[in-house]
Structure formats: C-alpha cells, structure tokens
Amino acid sequence: MHHPSAPPGAQAPHDKDYLRRLLAERNQAPGDAAGIDTAIEQAFVRNVAILVLDMCGFSRITQSHGIIHFLAMIHQMEQAARPAIRGNGGEIIKQEADNLFAIFNTPGQALEAALDTLRALQAMNSVLPPERILNVSAGIGFGPTLVIAQQDLFGPEMNCACKLGEDIAGANEILLTEAAHAGLPPDRYICDSTSCQISGMDLHAHRFGHCLFERPLNSPLPGATSLR
C-alpha cells in the first residue's frame, strides 16, 4: 500500500500532520498495520536522551503570590535552562506550563545540561528575594523515542523521565532511568540507586550525587555532538 508522502521540502518527515495521516491510514487499513508501523518508526523514532525539567512549588507559590508571579518565575527558569540545553548540544522540543522538555544524543549531555541549569539557577537565587527563589527537579531517560519536531515526545523512556522529574525528584534533584544511567560515560559521575512505585509500576532509577571531575560552565562532553 502507498503511504502518505512526506511534507514538501522535508528531508525526513517528522511533523504532526504526517503522523496523523499515517495513523489515520493505520486505523482504516489494519491489515497493513505492520507496514505503516515501519513507516512511522523510520520517520519519527530516534534514539535520544530525554531531559524533563519541572519547577518546584507551583501550588505554594501561586497560593501565596498569584499566578502572574509564578509565570514570571517560569520565564526566569527558561532563561537559565535554554542556554544550558543548547550549550550541551540539546534540542528543546516543547515547554508546557512549568515543564521543559529537551532531547540530546547522549545521557551525558542531558545530565550536563541539567547540572548547568542548576548552577545558573543557583547564581540567580543568590541575588533574588526569598519569594522568587527558583528550584527545579529533573528526570532523564534514554532510548528509542517517537519525536515530533518541536512539538512532542512519546515512548517508555519519555514516560519514565516525566515521572522521575515531575512526581518523584525533589528540589534540585536529578534522577535517571536505568537506561540513562547505563549510557553515562564511565568513571565520571557518582549516582545512587533508588526505587519507587508510581502508577502501579515499580520504577528503578539512579539519583545523581556528584561529578568525579571539574566542570567548566557549558562545556560539552568530549566527543559529544550536537543534534542540530
């Protein structure tokens, strides 16, 4: 069966309209599901590290200072996170409320971006009044993920990274899935194993502890390449 053509001028189709057309065809022709699944995988699935950043204290801050105050804090968090992500070879996929989602070629790049974000926020916090202190939590996953360019991410590691970053990690804490931890360069980071149960699933993870090397600001890992 002929599948929908790629968007005009696209080298590799990966926009949401193309995915919708393929999914519609899959629903209409279930007998060709395997072929359509292959087309979707070829167009959208990439092996990436996923970084999910979540601002802490939404309910407390909005109750005491209002939503506009919190929106201004989100903007300030983005000012710290975006240069850290791009400086470590990452690509920002989307921003939803107080969450930021980015992808990288390697878990090491994602971890470095999270660490640079925390360092930038620490510098900001040193001159901010108490009611504007910025704290984030981070979750990192790694594996085959369906990536819709600058729009969305889907996959098991995306799901786990979200749960780690949004629901489990505390302020200024970085949690990695087992796959992300296994993909880190050896002998560069110390992480502690941890486990929890959420949404009926046992989730094994690793909590970042410290680096075994000096970290210059926004310095990519040796040999790391950018997604762009």
Side-chain angles (χ1 to χ4, degrees):
M1 181 177 289
H2 173 71
H3 300 307
S5 60
Q11 293 181 343
H14 50 259
D15 76 335
K16 187 167 283 189
D17 288 339
Y18 182 58
L19 176 61
R20 285 173 176 156
R21 294 201 299 273
L22 285 171
L23 291 175
E25 184 176 324
R26 190 185 195 278
N27 290 333
Q28 294 164 8
D32 194 34
I36 297 172
D37 288 354
T38 298
I40 291 174
E41 289 173 0
Q42 290 176 345
F44 294 96
V45 175
R46 301 161 62 184
N47 201 51
V48 295
I50 305 144
L51 172 63
V52 179
L53 293 173
D54 179 49
M55 267 192 67
C56 303
F58 173 80
S59 298
R60 173 181 54 81
I61 295 171
T62 51
Q63 184 174 19
S64 57
H65 297 286
I67 188 62
I68 295 176
H69 178 89
F70 191 75
L71 289 175
M73 292 179 67
I74 291 174
H75 176 72
Q76 208 158 17
M77 182 269 284
E78 289 180 41
Q79 288 182 310
R82 289 179 180 271
I85 289 167
R86 291 173 179 145
N88 285 285
E91 175 185 344
I92 297 169
I93 296 298
K94 64 176 180 175
Q95 187 266 329
E96 290 182 350
D98 60 339
N99 295 328
L100 200 62
F101 302 82
I103 58 173
F104 303 78
N105 281 329
T106 69
Q109 288 173 294
L111 178 54
E112 287 293 313
L115 291 172
D116 281 341
T117 298
L118 292 180
R119 183 152 61 180
L121 291 176
Q122 185 179 30
M124 287 182 177
N125 288 340
S126 68
V127 296
L128 289 173
E131 69 274 10
R132 289 180 56 194
I133 293 297
L134 296 157
N135 292 304
V136 298
S137 54
I140 298 174
F142 179 53
T145 303
L146 194 152
V147 181
I148 304 173
Q150 298 181 339
Q151 289 186 307
D152 222 332
L153 299 163
F154 297 96
E157 286 294 303
M158 167 62 172
N159 184 48
C160 289
C162 287
K163 291 186 182 304
L164 291 176
E166 298 174 8
D167 301 324
I168 301 173
N172 305 316
E173 192 172 56
I174 303 170
L175 295 178
L176 301 93
T177 66
E178 289 190 297
H181 179 260
L184 291 176
D187 304 321
R188 291 180 69 86
Y189 308 98
I190 295 295
C191 299
D192 299 321
S193 297
T194 184
S195 61
C196 61
Q197 189 172 70
I198 186 168
S199 301
M201 62 182 285
D202 293 320
L203 192 55
H204 303 287
H206 296 263
R207 179 180 290 106
F208 170 79
H210 61 273
C211 297
L212 296 174
F213 60 97
E214 287 293 323
R215 294 186 60 257
L217 187 62
N218 283 337
S219 177
L221 291 170
T225 57
S226 173
L227 283 159
R228 293 190 176 277

